[in-house]
Amino acid sequence: MEQLMEQKQVEQRAKWTRLLVWSTLGSTIGAAVPCGYCMGVINSPAAHMRAWCVDTLASKYNFQLTPTGLDTLWALIVSIYLIGGVLGSACAGWATNRLGRRGCFLLSGLLLLLAALGFVSCRWLQSVELLLLSRLVVGLGGGLVTTGLPIYHSELAALNQRGTLAVGCAVGFSIGILLAQLMTLQTLLGSSELWHYALSFYVFFMAPCYAPFVCYAESPKWLFIVKQRRQSALQLLQRLRGSQFDLQQELRSMELEASSKSNARSLWQVLKDERMLLPLVLLCAYQGGQQLTGCSSIFYYSVSIFSASGISTRTAEWLNIAAGAVNLFTSLLNPLLMSKFNRRTLMLSSSAGASLFMFSFAWFVAYSHLHPWLSLGTIASMFLFLITFQLALGAMPSFIGAELFEVPSRSAALALGNQVGWGCNFLVGFLFPVLHSLLGYWIFLLFSCFSALLFLLTRYYLPETRGREVSQVAALVSQGFRSKVI
């Protein structure tokens, strides 16, 4: 009882200081928004880019692409971004511990800038290879962002602010996807002459956010636990929390995390630790399952899916933008939802709804050619899927690891989880055209089953992490699948 009263008292005094808001908002707009932009920008101008690839290879190498070869090349252009994400996530554990959380943010920005230069130049240089390389490099930056940014935000936040700030990366991705859908309209930058400018337009979000980089706060937990610069961490915490905030509880929590092992742990050390089994399974299942629910196929191929359902190309483009808007507006509710509702409740509702509406989406798409009015069911099912997906599946995988793992194990574990997530994203992006040709639109039933499996995993094995210190949650899941988490 005394502990709960103390926690409540501390939460009431926690303030949103200027340094906290500036650091989290700037890093979200400067890093997460561009990465989401690069994920969604490839959808609408696909026809123009495919035609450019055919003409460029024919004129430069006198090589004629077959329709099958073009499909394979295009799948590679879409999915090589995700290969970069896997590689970037593999390096993120090292980067966040060696360079710091803020240093990892800077490194990702340099990679994003380099890729933008490549996107602009590929058309001028008539180089399909440079387009592929730039997509790989921007994926490397994206892998660093999806691992490092949730860690950075969760370690800047006080306990009562954690749920609000933890979803910043997911919200930034949703904003970026919608901006990409808008900028690639035919009337803006989605035409056959301007698509390469659309690919690199995200630098305009980066510039004002990276310019004041030196003003952003470093993670106090990284300073305290990994670097053991405790006085610097204490001074930074005071600036983040405000002069009237009592730091004693937070300092005790960091002391508890540092007591077992002050140095950062390697991935091999984490994998050998039996106490890490259940949290690793949960993290990897949510990261990978997020992509295997079918959300990626919607963002990569929604225009072609709508067109195949009998909807005109122009209407399909606007529906694509509407889907991005619904995805964004629902994700903007995440800070409120995460601060008001338990994680288990949200994830159970999200996974059950995603499974149901992806099933109905598959049914309506499969039979829409028989009755044109069934296309309305296709549209409704997709929008309802996006709404339920964003309740938890869209946001929680990016930060749940920060609530399951203590600081010494956190970077390595989150890097592994993000590798699984990017890898599954790659499988969906690369294999979806092949599986669609084999299974038709019944492939969406497979996505529905993955959501159902996530529901069962959550029901029996996910502990409630809201309002709990990481050390408490770690103890709950330390017994593997024998843990009593409910």
Side-chain angles (χ1 to χ4, degrees):
M1 181 64 71
E2 292 179 358
Q3 183 179 0
L4 291 175
M5 292 177 64
E6 181 184 2
Q7 178 178 319
K8 182 177 180 180
Q9 183 180 8
V10 172
E11 288 183 0
Q12 287 174 343
R13 289 199 299 245
K15 294 182 179 179
W16 292 89
T17 60
R18 183 178 301 178
L19 179 61
L20 176 63
V21 174
W22 179 255
S23 299
T24 53
L25 187 62
S27 57
T28 297
I29 298 175
V33 171
C35 292
Y37 183 94
C38 292
M39 181 176 288
V41 75
I42 209 75
N43 194 340
S44 292
H48 301 313
M49 294 178 67
R50 288 164 66 101
W52 174 79
C53 289
V54 172
D55 295 341
T56 299
L57 293 176
S59 62
K60 193 173 182 179
Y61 300 109
N62 196 28
F63 179 76
Q64 299 295 329
L65 274 176
T66 64
T68 302
L70 178 58
D71 288 340
T72 303
L73 175 61
W74 182 247
L76 182 60
I77 291 173
V78 171
S79 56
I80 199 169
Y81 168 70
L82 309 170
I83 296 176
V86 173
L87 298 176
S89 296
C91 301
W94 169 85
T96 54
N97 285 324
R98 184 66 181 270
L99 306 177
R101 293 15 175 175
R102 191 178 65 164
C104 182
F105 167 62
L106 177 61
L107 178 60
S108 65
L110 295 175
L111 291 171
L112 292 171
L113 179 60
L114 184 62
L117 296 175
F119 288 138
V120 172
S121 305
C122 69
R123 180 85 182 266
W124 301 339
L125 299 177
Q126 291 294 294
S127 175
V128 176
E129 300 89 339
L130 184 56
L131 173 62
L132 285 166
L133 179 61
S134 300
R135 288 282 291 173
L136 178 65
V137 171
V138 82
L140 287 170
L144 292 176
V145 169
T146 54
T147 301
L149 203 61
I151 297 176
Y152 181 49
H153 288 175
S154 67
E155 294 180 358
L156 289 180
L159 182 61
N160 64 297
Q161 299 165 335
R162 197 172 62 191
T164 301
L165 291 183
V167 299
C169 185
V171 172
F173 263 73
S174 298
I175 294 173
I177 290 172
L178 178 60
L179 289 173
Q181 292 166 340
L182 290 171
M183 297 310 301
T184 52
L185 285 173
Q186 294 292 321
T187 53
L188 293 177
L189 298 179
S191 64
S192 58
E193 295 81 18
L194 300 175
W195 58 262
H196 55 299
Y197 292 115
L199 296 185
S200 58
F201 188 79
Y202 62 84
V203 293
F204 291 102
F205 317 135
M206 292 178 56
C209 296
Y210 275 90
F213 169 79
V214 294
C215 301
Y216 296 151
E218 181 52 271
S219 163
K221 282 196 173 184
W222 179 75
L223 291 173
F224 190 94
I225 298 174
V226 178
K227 303 302 288 184
Q228 298 185 15
R229 293 162 51 186
R230 303 196 172 190
Q231 188 59 37
S232 299
L234 178 61
Q235 294 172 355
L236 182 57
L237 267 178
Q238 201 70 72
R239 293 179 59 201
L240 285 168
R241 305 290 180 258
S243 58
Q244 302 302 315
F245 189 84
D246 184 4
L247 299 177
Q248 293 306 310
Q249 182 181 353
E250 195 161 356
L251 289 173
R252 285 197 299 271
S253 175
M254 289 194 293
E255 288 280 6
L256 183 61
E257 289 190 52
S259 61
S260 58
K261 188 173 180 67
S262 59
N263 295 323
R265 305 177 73 188
S266 67
L267 177 59
W268 179 241
Q269 289 174 315
V270 174
L271 291 174
K272 289 194 302 181
D273 191 342
E274 293 181 356
R275 297 172 300 173
M276 299 292 105
L277 174 61
L278 181 56
L280 280 173
V281 169
L282 288 168
L283 176 61
C284 293
Y286 287 134
Q287 287 279 9
Q290 181 190 58
Q291 311 305 325
L292 297 176
T293 57
C295 65
S296 299
S297 63
I298 290 177
F299 293 130
Y300 294 144
Y301 301 105
S302 59
V303 173
S304 60
I305 291 172
F306 282 134
S307 298
S309 300
I311 299 171
S312 68
T313 301
R314 185 172 181 81
T315 303
E317 286 185 346
W318 283 104
L319 285 173
N320 184 44
I321 292 175
V326 169
N327 184 62
L328 170 60
F329 293 144
T330 309
S331 70
L332 290 176
L333 295 175
N334 285 151
L336 177 63
L337 293 173
M338 294 300 167
S339 64
K340 299 295 184 182
F341 297 97
N342 288 340
R343 309 287 194 255
R344 281 177 52 83
T345 302
L346 290 172
M347 182 56 82
L348 287 170
S349 302
S350 182
S351 55
S355 179
L356 173 63
F357 293 121
M358 185 56 73
F359 178 87
S360 64
F361 181 78
W363 191 89
F364 281 117
V365 170
Y367 293 107
S368 59
H369 66 283
L370 300 177
H371 303 284
W373 59 268
L374 289 177
S375 61
L376 297 176
T378 302
I379 297 170
S381 295
M382 190 190 71
F383 286 160
L384 289 170
F385 167 80
L386 290 173
I387 291 172
T388 55
F389 175 83
Q390 280 296 346
L391 288 178
L393 281 170
M396 271 184 57
S398 67
F399 71 83
I400 193 64
E403 299 185 348
L404 291 172
F405 293 92
E406 295 176 291
V407 168
S409 306
R410 187 173 296 160
S411 294
L414 263 67
L416 175 63
N418 276 286
Q419 288 177 68
V420 173
W422 283 98
C424 291
N425 202 340
F426 167 76
L427 290 176
V428 173
F430 189 74
L431 296 179
F432 179 82
V434 177
L435 293 176
H436 177 255
S437 64
L438 294 174
L439 303 176
Y441 288 105
W442 295 112
I443 186 177
F444 292 106
L445 289 181
L446 186 61
F447 296 147
S448 177
C449 291
F450 282 116
S451 295
L453 290 175
L454 288 179
F455 174 86
L456 294 176
L457 182 68
T458 303
R459 172 68 180 81
Y460 293 107
Y461 292 111
L462 178 68
E464 183 51 58
T465 62
R466 175 173 169 254
R468 282 177 171 167
E469 292 290 352
V470 179
S471 56
Q472 295 176 293
V473 177
L476 284 176
V477 294
S478 62
Q479 300 300 313
F481 288 98
R482 293 178 285 108
S483 302
K484 304 296 184 181
V485 301
I486 301 176

